[in-house]
Amino acid sequence: MGDAVGRVLVVDDDEVIRQLIVVNLQLEGFEVHTAVDGQDCLDRVEDIAPDVITLDVMMPRLDGWVTAVRLRENERTRDVRVLLITARAQKNDVRRGTEVGADAYLTKPFDPTELIQVVRDLAAATRAG
């Protein structure tokens, strides 16, 4: 693990956004892994064992809502902190995010500084147990 401040799995089907998040988190010292959609995330999450997962909501194959629920249903991943990232910011979307077990919620377009702060807080909470 080394000196990384935490391990993050970035899940987004948009390569540009995925890379934006990756670069910002790597600059902050995070160990970053990526997945291209919810199914890819679920296939790899146990091997990666992230502290935090940033999860896009609108994705092919398996969207962020379903992915978050599946993460919570699996005893090996239920305690991973989940940050939902979405262009949909209506109140009912935020409520649904809470219902599926998301720990935090960011709307696109997001401020990279805010993203880093949220991920840092979630990773610290994970590491504190």
Side-chain angles (χ1 to χ4, degrees):
M1 185 73 222
D3 297 337
V5 290
R7 188 178 301 147
V8 183
L9 176 54
V10 175
V11 187
D12 201 308
D13 60 315
D14 183 317
E15 189 179 352
V16 174
I17 294 172
R18 201 167 58 236
Q19 282 307 115
L20 172 73
I21 296 172
V22 167
V23 167
N24 277 285
L25 292 176
Q26 284 177 336
L27 287 171
E28 292 298 309
F30 285 96
E31 177 187 327
V32 186
H33 299 262
T34 60
V36 297
D37 60 31
Q39 188 59 55
D40 191 26
C41 166
L42 294 175
D43 289 345
R44 303 181 56 223
V45 65
E46 288 183 43
D47 292 334
I48 294 168
D51 298 306
V52 180
I53 297 173
T54 71
L55 197 54
D56 182 33
V57 170
M58 306 306 284
M59 293 183 292
R61 286 211 298 170
L62 207 57
D63 68 24
W65 303 124
V66 177
T67 305
V69 169
R70 300 261 177 93
L71 288 165
R72 291 299 177 240
E73 287 172 349
N74 180 339
E75 63 183 40
R76 290 197 284 280
T77 58
R78 74 160 63 117
D79 295 328
V80 177
R81 298 301 201 275
V82 174
L83 165 58
L84 279 177
I85 300 178
T86 178
R88 300 168 52 138
Q90 287 81 18
K91 274 202 176 72
N92 58 339
D93 291 314
V94 176
R95 189 179 323 115
R96 188 172 177 193
T98 306
E99 286 168 4
V100 299
D103 297 287
Y105 202 93
L106 269 185
T107 52
K108 294 176 183 174
F110 54 84
D111 174 357
T113 311
E114 186 181 3
L115 169 84
I116 289 160
Q117 190 57 57
V118 172
V119 172
R120 188 188 288 280
D121 290 347
L122 292 174
T126 300
R127 296 183 155 231

